[in-house]
Each structure stands twice: as structure tokens, then as C-alpha cells.
């Protein structure tokens, strides 16, 4: 990994020709945030690396390993996160990220006591829209939070691509909170045990997010934690307070 200063002053690594790289008080180190700058990119391209990462399916440094199958990916996030995040930093994983987050969202209704009672007491035709709306809302909010985390990581000098960062952050958020939801379905979100489990899984989410950002963006962990902070605070409010 780079040292503290390593991420800066290497424009040739980014291959972006001449954006300032955060020297001192440069107004915006990543010009992709400037108005009009994002229009030029097609949907599949990364506005930061201008799609170069995906031309050969590898970052300039070369991929750490082959793309993981979704089962190996999900297992790896839980059992060997460091290796998994490093290996997947060059690959997109929209399929697993969207499916897992959507399934998580379907369960999420049962984690909020108000919505849970509505869904359980509603007839099926009324419950389906409640559940589907919640699931779509969870997918969208986790996507937005992932983008926020990625943008912050870039501002802090990270060099990762946005699609793997967002995909992994969606998976981390869903997988870590799933155990709490499973118990909340039976015991209710307010049960002491479920609350305690929620805190434990939230800490796990913070640990995994920090590790992922640090691997994906080649950042020291304090910066990685800083980049994950907004997502973690949002998770806390969604998960612990049950407020949307």
C-alpha cells in the first residue's frame, strides 16, 4: 500500500491527464464532481478512472485473482474478508449486490415493529406493496450510501473504482444486518436480544466496511473508517431506530 502521501502526485497512475490531485487547497481534487463533467461518461464507465479499469478487466496493477463466484463472494465476506475485498476490488458485482440487498429489503419490513404489524395484519394484496416498497427503498438507500462512501474515499486520496466499492458496501450492509432481521421476524425489533445483536452486527459492519474501503482504495484504516462514517451513521438510524 502507499504511505500517507502515496496517493497523491501520481497522475500517471490515474491516467486522467491533468486534474489536480489534492495539492494543498486545490478546490476540488476530483473534477468529476464539477457540473457538466459527469455528462461525458457512458453508463458503464467509472467517472473517476474513465473506464480504463474495465477495458482489460483489471486495474493498472493487475487483478489479485479471478472474479469470485457469488457463493464464494458471500462466504468470503464473512470468513476471509481481507482477501475477498482485495480480490474483488477490480470487479463489479451488481448481480449479487442487488439480489442480496433486495432479499434483505424484503426481510427488512419485519425489523421495524410498526411496518411489521402492518405487513402481518394486512391482507396479502396490501402486504405485497409494503414489502416490495421497503425492499426497493433498501436497495436504493444502500446504493446511495455506497456511492457516498466511495466519494469520500476518493476525496481522502483513495484510488479504487466506484462499482466494486458500491457493490461490496451493499453486500456488507445486507449480510451483517441479516441475522438481526431473522430474529426480529420472530421476536420483534424491540426485543433486548435483537437490539444487542443489532449492535454487534453494526460493529461488524463498521469493521468490514473499513477493511473493504482500505483494500479497495489503498487507504490506511483511519481514512477508510472516515470514508465509511456516513454510511455507518445512516445504518445506525435505519437499523437501530427503525426510522426510514
Amino acid at each position: 500500500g502507499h504511505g500517507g502521501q502515496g496517493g497523491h502526485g501520481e497522475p500517471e497512475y490515474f491516467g486522467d491527464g491533468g486534474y489536480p490531485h489534492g495539492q494543498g487547497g486545490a478546490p476540488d481534487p476530483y473534477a468529476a464532481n464539477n457540473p457538466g463533467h459527469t455528462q461525458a461518461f457512458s453508463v458503464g464507465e467509472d467517472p473517476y478512472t474513465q473506464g480504463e479499469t474495465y477495458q482489460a478487466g483489471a486495474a493498472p496493477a493487475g487483478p489479485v485473482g479471478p472474479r469470485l463466484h457469488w457463493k464464494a463472494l458471500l462466504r468470503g465476506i464473512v470468513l476471509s474478508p481481507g482477501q475477498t475485498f482485495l480480490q474483488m476490488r477490480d470487479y463489479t458485482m451488481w448481480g449479487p449486490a442487488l439480489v442480496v440487498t433486495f432479499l434483505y429489503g424484503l426481510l427488512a419490513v419485519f425489523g421495524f415493529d410498526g411496518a411489521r404489524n402492518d405487513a402481518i395484519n394486512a391482507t396479502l394484496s396490501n402486504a405485497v406493496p409494503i414489502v416490495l416498497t421497503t425492499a426497493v427503498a433498501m436497495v436504493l438507500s444502500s446504493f446511495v450510501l455506497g456511492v457516498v462512501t466511495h466519494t469520500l474515499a476518493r476525496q481522502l486520496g483513495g484510488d479504487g473504482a466506484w462499482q466494486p466499492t458500491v457493490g461490496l458496501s451493499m453486500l456488507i450492509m445486507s449480510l451483517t444486518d441479516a441475522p438481526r432481521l431473522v430474529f426480529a421476524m420472530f421476536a420483534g425489533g424491540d426485543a433486548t436480544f435483537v437490539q444487542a445483536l443489532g449492535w454487534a452486527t453494526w460493529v461488524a459492519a463498521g469493521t468490514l466496511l473499513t477493511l473493504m474501503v482500505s483494500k479497495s482504495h489503498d487507504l490506511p484504516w483511519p481514512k477508510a473508517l472516515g470514508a465509511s462514517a456516513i454510511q455507518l451513521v445512516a445504518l445506525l438510524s435505519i437499523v437501530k431506530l427503525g426510522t426510514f
Side-chain angles (χ1 to χ4, degrees), residues 104-115:
Y104 163 74
L106 293 177
L107 284 175
V109 167
F110 301 101
F112 310 122
D113 279 359

Side-chain angles (χ1 to χ4, degrees), residues 40-122:
F41 302 107
S42 69
V43 174
E45 282 187 337
D46 179 344
Y48 295 108
T49 58
Q50 302 183 357
E52 282 170 24
T53 310
Y54 300 107
Q55 277 169 12
V64 177
R67 177 194 294 270
L68 293 169
H69 186 257
W70 67 268
K71 287 180 187 161
L73 171 64
L74 300 186
R75 207 168 44 235
I77 288 176
V78 178
L79 301 176
S80 55
Q83 172 60 33
T84 304
F85 297 149
L86 202 55
Q87 192 165 337
M88 290 301 285
R89 69 169 283 180
D90 302 324
Y91 299 106
T92 59
M93 61 218 77
W94 291 122
L98 293 172
V99 171
V100 169
T101 312
F102 186 75
L103 292 173
Y104 163 74
L106 293 177
L107 284 175
V109 167
F110 301 101
F112 310 122
D113 279 359
R116 176 173 178 255
N117 296 335
D118 293 348
I120 290 171
N121 298 332

